[in-house]
Amino acid sequence: MEIKEIQKYKLFKNKKIQKIKKLKNQGVCNTTYKIKTPKKDYLLRVFTFTHKSKSSRKNEIKIQKSAYKKNIAAKVYILDEEKYLMICDFLKGKHKKKLKKEDIKTLVKNLKILHNIKTKNKPYKIKDDFKKYRRILKDTKSKQLIKSSLDELKKIKKYKFEKVLCHQDLNKNNVLFYKKEVKFIDWEFSQVNDRFFDLANISIEFDLNKVQEKKLLKQYLEKVRKADIRKLASYKRIYINFWNLWFKTLEKR
């Protein structure tokens, strides 16, 4: 990415861009860069072919702006739909591979803030994605994952669907810890879903043990029932299968 390409934006009219550096940690759907100016740094995300839908990117930015107002995301300045890029604040912080007790407490606090953001978006139907994978993936392993996932979704019907605005991709690289705060990045998969999807997401991505899992649930729910533990277990299986199948579909492109 050339400096002259970014310097033309109004945001940088009176700011000299000193450097644009490609970041070490990269996602699948974007290429990210750090834009350095004398007074502050910005994050540049260039969208890849995987997510070029204008409506999905507009939805992502809309959600991120709402999350920024709640102080759990970066401020967005630019969405250039023609160039497939966005520019927001560069957030300070570090990614953690393992969570301590206080980390879980802080993470849950901000997760609850996210889940309380109001939106008119319709609930995401994960079942439709599993059916889509069934049309694309014909290998035996994928068929088994899809069947087990659809079976698990039937089991989950006995629990109340607790719809909230979910991030849905809280992997280690999308959670930033800074001092005593936590912020979330990369909002492209955000949808209205059951809150247990995000809880399962955290449990899997941070490899929580049973004790930590109970702390996660207790911190979030205050009172944990056996049904909550079973519901989380089901969503964990669905979460793992979903992303395994998602990555398999990328190989088909």
Side-chain angles (χ1 to χ4, degrees):
M1 182 59 64
E2 299 291 331
I3 290 178
K4 63 181 180 181
E5 294 180 60
I6 304 303
Q7 191 74 64
K8 68 179 183 180
Y9 290 106
K10 188 177 179 181
L11 174 65
F12 301 105
K13 185 176 180 181
N14 298 312
K15 303 182 184 83
K16 179 179 173 58
I17 296 176
Q18 298 170 314
K19 189 177 182 181
I20 298 180
K21 181 182 178 181
K22 189 174 181 179
L23 296 178
K24 184 178 179 181
N25 291 329
Q26 294 290 334
V28 178
C29 302
N30 312 275
T31 305
T32 54
Y33 303 83
K34 183 178 182 179
I35 302 173
K36 188 170 182 58
T37 72
K39 290 188 177 181
K40 68 181 295 185
D41 299 329
Y42 300 87
L43 181 78
L44 165 66
R45 289 175 60 208
V46 180
F47 310 141
T48 65
F49 69 91
T50 310
H51 284 275
K52 284 190 175 181
S53 165
K54 290 185 177 181
S55 60
S56 67
R57 287 300 180 180
K58 282 182 177 178
N59 182 64
E60 173 192 348
I61 301 305
K62 180 182 176 182
I63 290 172
Q64 185 170 334
K65 285 181 176 179
S66 296
Y68 165 72
K69 290 177 182 178
K70 300 294 183 179
N71 199 34
I72 58 173
K75 183 177 181 178
V76 179
Y77 297 98
I78 295 168
L79 171 62
D80 189 329
E81 297 177 77
E82 292 184 2
K83 298 292 185 182
Y84 296 115
L85 63 81
M86 64 90 78
I87 297 174
C88 63
D89 278 333
F90 185 88
L91 298 177
K92 293 180 179 179
K94 65 179 181 178
H95 306 293
K96 295 190 176 184
K97 293 182 179 180
K98 297 290 183 181
L99 299 181
K100 295 179 181 178
K101 184 178 179 180
E102 285 304 308
D103 297 327
I104 292 174
K105 185 177 179 180
T106 308
L107 179 52
V108 169
K109 182 190 77 171
N110 280 12
L111 183 67
K112 290 174 81 170
I113 291 172
L114 164 60
H115 288 176
N116 278 306
I117 292 176
K118 302 300 180 185
T119 177
K120 294 181 180 179
N121 289 9
K122 293 181 180 179
Y124 163 57
K125 296 180 180 178
I126 195 169
K127 183 178 179 179
D128 291 345
D129 271 338
F130 284 120
K131 287 181 177 180
K132 178 185 71 177
Y133 297 147
R134 188 165 57 188
R135 294 193 298 270
I136 299 170
L137 303 168
K138 302 298 182 181
D139 61 284
T140 303
K141 179 64 177 176
S142 294
K143 286 180 179 180
Q144 290 172 344
L145 291 179
I146 292 164
K147 185 182 183 305
S148 65
S149 300
L150 291 173
D151 289 343
E152 206 65 51
L153 285 172
K154 288 180 182 177
K155 293 179 186 177
I156 285 178
K157 284 185 177 180
K158 65 184 175 183
Y159 304 113
K160 180 183 176 182
F161 184 76
E162 302 170 87
K163 67 176 183 178
V164 297
L165 179 61
C166 288
H167 186 283
Q168 298 204 142
D169 191 20
L170 294 171
N171 64 62
K172 298 178 184 72
N173 290 329
N174 288 342
V175 181
L176 274 174
F177 291 84
Y178 183 67
K179 295 182 178 179
K180 293 185 178 181
E181 289 298 321
V182 168
K183 292 192 178 181
F184 308 127
I185 61 177
D186 288 4
W187 294 82
E188 63 213 83
F189 291 100
S190 301
Q191 305 239 29
V192 173
N193 201 348
D194 192 295
R195 59 184 182 169
F196 272 76
F197 191 89
D198 271 354
L199 292 169
N201 181 168
I202 291 168
S203 181
I204 295 297
E205 294 294 341
F206 288 95
D207 194 25
L208 301 188
N209 57 39
K210 294 297 180 183
V211 174
Q212 290 175 310
E213 225 172 55
K214 285 182 180 179
K215 285 180 181 176
L216 175 74
L217 288 175
K218 187 170 178 56
Q219 194 68 44
Y220 188 95
L221 302 170
E222 294 184 6
K223 185 178 180 180
V224 182
R225 304 166 302 160
K226 288 182 179 179
D228 297 320
I229 296 171
R230 289 194 295 268
K231 185 178 179 181
L232 179 65
S234 284
Y235 268 105
K236 282 169 65 179
R237 287 189 281 271
I238 289 168
Y239 177 84
I240 292 170
N241 291 349
F242 174 83
W243 284 108
N244 281 336
L245 293 164
W246 187 84
F247 280 106
K248 271 180 171 280
T249 60
L250 288 189
E251 297 171 7
K252 293 286 184 179
R253 297 190 180 187

